[in-house]
Amino acid sequence: MDTLCSLSGLDPLWDWNQTWYTHNPELSNCFQNTVLVWAPCIYLWVLSPFYCLHLYCHGRGRLPLSSLCSAKLLLGFFLASFGFVEFFYILLERRQEIQQHLVFLLSPVIRSLTVVFAVCVIHWERVRGCRSSVFLFFFWLLGVVCSLIPLHAKVQLAVDQGLSPDIVRYLAFFSYFALQLAQLFLSCFADQAPSGKAVLKNACPVQDASFLSKILFWWFSGLLFKGYRSPLQAEDLWSLREEDTSEKIISDLEEEWTAERTKLQQQENHLSTSIALGSRLPEQAQFLRKIQKEQSSGFCLLRTLARSFGPYFLTGTLCLMVHDAFMFSVPQVLSLLLGFMKDEDAPLWKGYFYASLMFLLSCLQSIFNHQYTYTCFTVGMRVKTAVMGLVYRKSLVVNSAARRTCTVGEIVNLVSADTQKLMDFVVYFNAVWLAPIEITLCLFFLWQHLGPSALAGIAIVIFIFPLNGFIARKRSKLQEIQMKYMDGRVKLMNEILNGIKILKFYAWEKAFLEQVLGYREKELKTLKKSQILYSVSIASFNSSSFLIAFAMFGVYVLIDDKNVLDAQKIFVSMALINILKTPLSQLPFAMSTTMQALVSLKRLGKFLCQDELKPDNVTRESFKSDVDGVVFENGTFSWSKDGPPCLKSRISVRVPCGSLVAVVGHVGSGKSSLLSAMLGETEKRSGAVSVKGSSAYVPQQAWIQNASLQDNILFGREKKESWYQRVLEACALLPDLDNLPAGDTTEIGEKGLNLSGGQKQRVSLARAVYRKADVYLLDDPLSAVDAHVGQHIFNKVIGPRGILRDKTRVLVTHGMSFLPQADLILVLVDGEISERGSYQELLNRNGAFADFIHTFASSERKDCFSEASQRGSRRLSVRLSVTEYMPFSRDLSQEQLISGDTNSITFEPLPDSDENHIQEDLGKLTKVDKARIGRVKLEMYIEYFHTIGLPLIVSIVFLYAFQQAASLSYNYWLSLWADQPVINGTQLNTDLKLGVYGALGFAQGIAIFGTTVAISLGCIIASHHLHLELLNNVLHSPMSFFESTPSGNLLNRFAKEIDAIDNMIPDGLKMMLGYFFKLMEVCIIVLMATPFAAVIILPMAFLYGFIQSFYVATSCQLRRLESVSRSPIYTHLNETVQGASVIRAFNEQSRFIMGVNHKVDHNQTAYFPRFVATRWLGVNLEFLGNGIVLAASILSVMSKGTLSPGMVGLAVSHSLQVTGFLSWIVRSWTDVENNIVSVERVKEYADTPKEAAWSIEGSSLPPSWPQKGTIEFHDYGLQYRKGLELALKGISVHIKEREKIGIVGRTGAGKSSLALGIFRILEAAKGQIYIDGINIAEIGLHDLRSRITIIPQDPVLFSGSLRMNLDPFDAYTDEEVWNALELAHLKNFVSELPDKLNHECSEGGENLSLGQRQLVCLARALLRKTKILVLDEATAALDLETDTLIQSTIRSQFEDCAVLTIAHRLNTIMDYTKVIVMDKGHIVEMDSPSNLIAKRGQFYYMCREAGLL
């Protein structure tokens, strides 16, 4: 190169004296005309083949020729032409001495050819659809940077000599530089989208952003501006990018996971078969094998996620490594700057150069750091989507045995808490392996500065590591324990919310409240231990920089008097130690997060590897009318692989196509199991089952979605009006629609809360009928409806003349009147078919069935409805199932609102605006979880800190101030030490200096521990109060609250929001206060060194304040929107898990999967901008903060003569931390504000209406009240909401002691409303109810409800022991409990259970049949044995034999009690003292049954309809 330059008469390529050791540095002409010209060219020619190949492999469609692209091409041709012009100019002007101008001749040609090639690359990018070129951006940037030095030289030369000597070359260079700048400017923008590509509505702007906009996150600014101007709404958010959508992510991942799972199962099967047949593993070995299986399933999941998301994650890891390289460069440049300050002869330009270099490195460090974090959060978001999708899909296919091991609460926890742990793991995983490398590098550089003394720092690190490793392990164990308690608490809350009505009827709220608080107390106790350990960890890490410095400086000065600590050694070491703090603080957190993630992976893997329903349990074939619809061949079935068979003796049944098969038998005989076997829900042990054509299923307990009535019936199918109307009429739903406020578009609450039991069952039946399936499996659908409604449905739908007459129907029933019309009857006894045949055949056999029929059906007539009776009841049957459903009203009874003609509904007069409002919300029921808007109010902070307590807050602030004062003192002490003059090669009083430094540092460490413990304890106190308040508020709410608030919303409060208050707020406060006080310290130090810095710091402070308010407004609203969109996911999951068998029966899995995909994507549309907002904030704040570094450095250089190196070192090393501090203050402040939203959401229910007091202090209620059991209604009226007509009108009745009262009436006549009034579920609108002469409105709710008993229609059990379900307060002895079970005909069943009374009931009591659950409810009543008993259709789920036994039990055991029965089966009340007949909220008849029949009133016609006359 030197030879080429010398030929052209130029200086050598490099000359240090010209470049570095001078007051006016410049590069040689040879370097300027060769290296600086050729460097960009080499970059383009070497890398472009790889880049073009990349474009070829990843084409995105041809781009249109836009004005931007045209400008780039045009500028490119101009740039190329300048080089050629220069080449020909030299060729013509200097042709005589061409050899002396070879360099000047070659460079323009190379440059022009390179630009022509760049133009070709621009065109190729357009062809392959590249809209923003990173590759060419760096080419033009390199070109501009390399042209800056020649530009400076030429400008200097032009100033000194003028332009005249070589004006053409000057003009050519300046023009070329201007065009290069223009090209660089144009490459900062992105081109138009490919033509013909579908544009998403509100598409994410990152896809249209240029490279520069992407790395600086400027593309996000639009949303921030919008959020600053007005609070963001859900519709303002961008659509997800295609690669972030659930459909894209899960479709790719599901295949991978299925392959992994199959491989794991094969290993498991191989292991099982390798064990010798007949041998049994010892218990310990079995346990170890189970643990090993759980772990391997977790690792399988991790491997699958790594394969899908690993490559993108690795690009982030690369950014982190580049960030680290820049991070370690900064202390080296600081060392050079401090060396410059010490050297009196050093030229000023070097100081400015070092200051600028430090600024540039800091900026690059920020850019790469935020790119890494952005990548991590994007991967975390995708992992969350993937895991949620896998868990949801699994919940649809998991078999019954596996389903019983994991409750709804646990599954909700998997998609909430465990996915969050995996997201944290993605963000912090790299620290696990990179932190030790960073620590090693720091110690290496420290060794360079301090020699062997650095080993003392290593010793401190070695001491801190095991300590924090031990703490991390302990915290991981505590975390597992805490998660277990949290799981238990959330699971229990889920059950409480599902069974809240039962808790209120039985006054059991306190017992369950104590159980929840028991879990909570253990949870907080574990959290407290964990937080104290964490405080030790934080104290050791925050003091680690001091401890390492103290050890190293101490050893350094003590081993040799000649070892002098100057500014360079001290502050470069301190800068390195500050770098060291990051990996040291991250490592335990990363380890802890990794441990937690492994626990979560194990839990997720265990669930995702649960056994699934086998597709071969049932053979599904296409429908053929000439073959049997359902065939069983030698079938044996069980609910689990290893459990006892529920259907045994090799069942063989053939159900002819188009026939009606009735299945009868006692409770628990296996009727529902038979239908489950047809659906493939049970484990097939042997034999075969085949079903021809599509199937529809009506479960015993109707499953209703939280959707409109129409959506529940259509269930994803297209609406065909004529068929739809026919189905509604057949299922007796038309009268209901007339009275629903929005007809069939009225929203139905979760689990059909605002429908009666009968209505729910009819909607469930209508769903099946509308489907037009080939095979109908009907599990006792007529049990919950009135006898006459049941008869109507049988005739119109199920029977030989019903709309399903040509379909194959399998009907489980207890109704004897339907059996004569069945083609085939199967009699089940203990899981075996004991008899089969037609009704007449079975009677003729004179077997068990015939005896049963003769005993229980002797009074029934086959011809239930004569033509005359039909005519007589025509007027009444018009209202077979009328339910008035008013706007905003929700009845808590089984009936729901009071029945009547549509024209009888009256409203209070309403203003016009209210009417409009009502019309808008007509049919809406559940309150959507809405996001609040605007900033969190100051009162919320005050309220939160008020719960912590003023003394604790004062002590926290004092400890922080003390801690930072100690830190400031020992840092200033170091600068004084560094500036101390060296006398005879030593410094004086080093022992004293070291002692003072040590004392101040240790004082700071103790203060750090004190502050973190104080904050943790204060926040735990606040968390305890807030949870208790939330729990009390929810449990004291009336039933109307639970019916209008989706359980997902409430569960979200108890799970995610409480978790945020437990963990996120304390961490945010620690961080915010810590960084705020550190910032105060840094500002004081910088101002002490360079007071002029105030001119820079003050405007920066205002700018920071503006950015903070700008960012917080948007960030808080995004947090709220994300929080609100999370609840529907849990509600949907909850609903799906409970209705999985129905969804599978109707083959609707794909629709539900699409539904959850939409909900997850909707949630991610709020989550994605949330974390991008943090990156935008970080980049912008750190760039501004780097300006403070530049200012401090430049001001120090300018004040070189007056400032000591020690002070400069102190100021600059601390200013390097300012960017981090300011950024973290705003982010932690935002985190606190974002998480204070959780406090806001938890406090939300403080203002909702509450029930009356549970108990009244000083009440004079006798302990044995009520002694007689008399009930008096005095002109009693009840309404569901103000503005609605009274549901009960002027009820006056006197029920004497020991009277047995039957309450009858059409659906919706007000029967259950009487029960609601007695239990004060609804308060009286007028009049009073007296029990034993005491007005029930004047006593506490628990005093009332605990002294009277109800057996409700829906039998609800809670997970826990059978004993707890009977007696949650432990008020009765075991003997009394066994006695109650014997009377409830459950003693034999319970005594055969392995754990007897301690038998664990699964969630909702699903491991007992519906009939057995009803018997448990009866046992509860027998145990309480109060003087008043209310039965609400309590025997609807029982077979007639058990029903008769129970009726006799009730008659004998409650002989001396007043019994009120809300009856649908009139034969159960024919021997009662009195019967009350209700209609439209009035008592229309009341007398003994015989007298009422004699009067031939309404009761008489009802008896005729029921076939009792």
Side-chain angles (χ1 to χ4, degrees), residues 1202-1249:
T1202 56
L1203 274 180
S1204 67
M1207 210 61 206
V1208 171
L1210 185 64
V1212 175
S1213 64
H1214 274 71
S1215 69
L1216 282 170
Q1217 299 173 57
V1218 167
T1219 50
F1221 290 166
L1222 282 166
S1223 180
W1224 277 108
I1225 284 169
V1226 178
R1227 274 152 70 176
S1228 53
W1229 183 349
T1230 309
D1231 282 347
V1232 170
E1233 184 148 343
N1234 280 340
N1235 288 302
I1236 283 284
V1237 173
S1238 293
V1239 176
E1240 189 180 35
R1241 286 163 69 79
V1242 162
K1243 300 282 286 182
E1244 211 176 304
Y1245 297 130
D1247 305 324
T1248 52

Side-chain angles (χ1 to χ4, degrees), residues 1268-1494:
K1268 297 176 183 174
T1270 61
I1271 307 172
E1272 292 174 70
F1273 289 84
H1274 286 189
D1275 192 27
Y1276 183 76
L1278 178 146
Q1279 67 185 152
Y1280 290 97
R1281 197 163 298 223
K1282 284 184 180 177
L1284 298 182
E1285 188 185 26
L1286 291 177
L1288 292 178
K1289 302 160 189 171
I1291 302 290
S1292 292
V1293 65
H1294 184 184
I1295 297 165
K1296 296 172 189 166
E1297 58 183 296
R1298 303 179 65 177
E1299 272 195 328
K1300 308 294 178 279
I1301 306 293
I1303 304 168
V1304 298
R1306 305 290 171 193
T1307 301
K1311 306 187 294 289
S1312 291
S1313 301
L1314 275 178
L1316 296 180
I1318 293 170
F1319 282 85
R1320 281 177 65 196
I1321 298 292
L1322 289 174
E1323 297 289 357
K1326 64 170 189 170
Q1328 302 86 30
I1329 299 176
Y1330 291 88
I1331 293 179
D1332 275 12
I1334 291 177
N1335 185 348
I1336 62 168
E1338 294 171 3
I1339 59 174
L1341 288 178
H1342 279 190
D1343 294 334
L1344 168 68
R1345 293 169 185 169
S1346 62
R1347 314 285 182 94
I1348 56 179
T1349 304
I1350 188 168
I1351 302 178
Q1353 181 181 25
D1354 290 332
V1356 176
L1357 267 63
F1358 301 93
S1359 58
S1361 70
L1362 193 60
R1363 198 190 196 298
M1364 186 281 292
N1365 270 289
L1366 292 166
D1367 176 26
F1369 290 101
D1370 278 336
Y1372 303 96
T1373 63
D1374 279 4
E1375 193 182 340
E1376 288 172 308
V1377 173
W1378 277 112
N1379 189 35
L1381 288 171
E1382 186 175 9
L1383 293 168
H1385 309 285
L1386 273 175
K1387 187 175 182 180
N1388 291 343
F1389 168 71
V1390 176
S1391 56
E1392 285 171 14
L1393 294 171
D1395 298 327
K1396 308 280 191 298
L1397 287 176
N1398 293 322
H1399 172 69
E1400 277 294 311
C1401 297
S1402 62
E1403 191 176 10
E1406 285 184 2
N1407 53 351
L1408 300 178
S1409 75
L1410 190 61
Q1412 286 166 336
R1413 278 177 262 163
Q1414 194 73 67
L1415 293 176
V1416 171
C1417 291
L1418 174 65
R1420 283 176 186 160
L1422 290 162
L1423 202 55
R1424 284 161 73 109
K1425 197 102 187 270
T1426 56
K1427 287 289 179 183
I1428 294 171
L1429 173 69
V1430 178
L1431 274 81
D1432 190 356
E1433 307 174 19
T1435 57
L1438 303 174
D1439 58 84
L1440 285 176
E1441 190 175 354
T1442 314
D1443 190 5
T1444 308
L1445 287 170
I1446 287 171
Q1447 290 298 335
S1448 64
T1449 302
I1450 289 169
R1451 285 183 182 90
S1452 60
Q1453 295 304 309
F1454 293 96
E1455 192 182 357
D1456 58 343
C1457 308
V1459 177
L1460 278 74
T1461 301
I1462 296 163
H1464 278 187
R1465 296 183 181 184
L1466 299 183
N1467 61 325
T1468 60
I1469 58 158
M1470 294 307 279
D1471 61 344
Y1472 274 28
T1473 322
K1474 282 181 189 169
V1475 170
I1476 293 174
V1477 182
M1478 298 201 68
D1479 190 23
K1480 298 186 200 172
H1482 293 284
I1483 293 177
V1484 289
E1485 293 178 356
M1486 179 175 169
D1487 209 331
S1488 67
S1490 54
N1491 289 349
L1492 289 178
I1493 290 168

Side-chain angles (χ1 to χ4, degrees), residues 32 67 84 98 127 141 346 352 465 468 552 561 567 604 751 772 833 928 956 1023 1028 1119 1176 1283 1361 1506:
Q32 288 182 39
S67 51
F84 289 124
I98 199 75
V127 170
L141 180 66
Y352 294 129
F465 253 80
N468 284 282
M552 287 195 298
D561 287 347
L604 285 161
K751 299 177 191 164
K772 288 189 177 176
I833 296 177
V928 177
I956 287 167
S1023 186
L1028 183 62
R1119 164 75 169 79
W1176 177 91
S1361 70

Side-chain angles (χ1 to χ4, degrees), residues 428-442:
Y428 293 102
F429 166 69
N430 275 322
V432 174
W433 64 272
L434 199 57
I437 296 171
E438 290 173 348
I439 291 164
T440 308
L441 281 171
C442 280

Side-chain angles (χ1 to χ4, degrees), residues 62-77 118-132 136 140 183 186-187 189-192:
R62 194 185 185 94
L63 298 177
L65 185 62
S66 63
S67 51
L68 179 68
C69 187
S70 304
K72 285 180 183 175
L73 293 169
L74 199 63
L75 285 176
F77 285 122
V119 168
C120 295
V121 172
I122 291 170
H123 178 68
W124 180 237
E125 284 176 340
R126 187 175 77 82
V127 170
R128 301 306 295 161
C130 177
R131 298 169 64 190
S132 176
L136 287 180
W140 298 120
Q183 277 284 28
L186 290 178
S187 65
F189 299 95
D191 218 327
Q192 290 177 12

Side-chain angles (χ1 to χ4, degrees), residues 997-1132:
Y997 178 60
L1000 290 168
F1002 280 110
Q1004 187 208 14
I1006 293 162
I1008 291 170
F1009 176 73
T1011 48
T1012 49
V1013 168
I1015 286 181
S1016 299
L1017 293 179
C1019 291
I1020 286 170
I1021 290 166
S1023 186
H1024 169 73
H1025 282 305
L1026 288 166
H1027 177 266
L1028 183 62
E1029 191 182 341
L1030 172 67
L1031 187 60
N1032 275 319
N1033 282 330
V1034 167
L1035 290 182
H1036 278 82
S1037 296
M1039 273 305 298
S1040 55
F1041 168 79
F1042 296 99
E1043 295 180 338
S1044 61
T1045 310
S1047 62
N1049 294 7
L1050 291 169
L1051 268 186
N1052 198 16
R1053 301 295 190 278
F1054 282 100
K1056 189 82 178 176
E1057 310 298 354
I1058 289 292
D1059 188 46
I1061 294 168
D1062 283 351
N1063 298 302
M1064 308 299 284
I1065 292 178
D1067 290 350
L1069 282 173
K1070 285 173 200 169
M1071 200 183 288
M1072 184 180 79
L1073 291 169
Y1075 284 120
F1076 176 75
F1077 282 98
K1078 280 177 187 171
L1079 178 66
M1080 293 294 100
E1081 179 193 345
V1082 171
C1083 287
I1084 292 166
I1085 287 170
V1086 171
L1087 290 170
M1088 279 166 63
T1090 53
F1092 192 68
V1095 177
I1096 310 289
I1097 288 173
L1098 286 173
M1100 288 278 191
F1102 284 112
L1103 199 50
Y1104 271 98
F1106 171 69
I1107 289 176
Q1108 185 268 342
S1109 60
F1110 201 82
Y1111 163 79
V1112 171
T1114 302
S1115 180
C1116 280
Q1117 196 59 18
L1118 285 170
R1119 164 75 169 79
R1120 286 167 174 163
L1121 288 169
E1122 194 266 331
S1123 198
V1124 160
S1125 61
R1126 203 186 312 121
S1127 298
I1129 299 172
Y1130 303 151
T1131 305
H1132 186 74

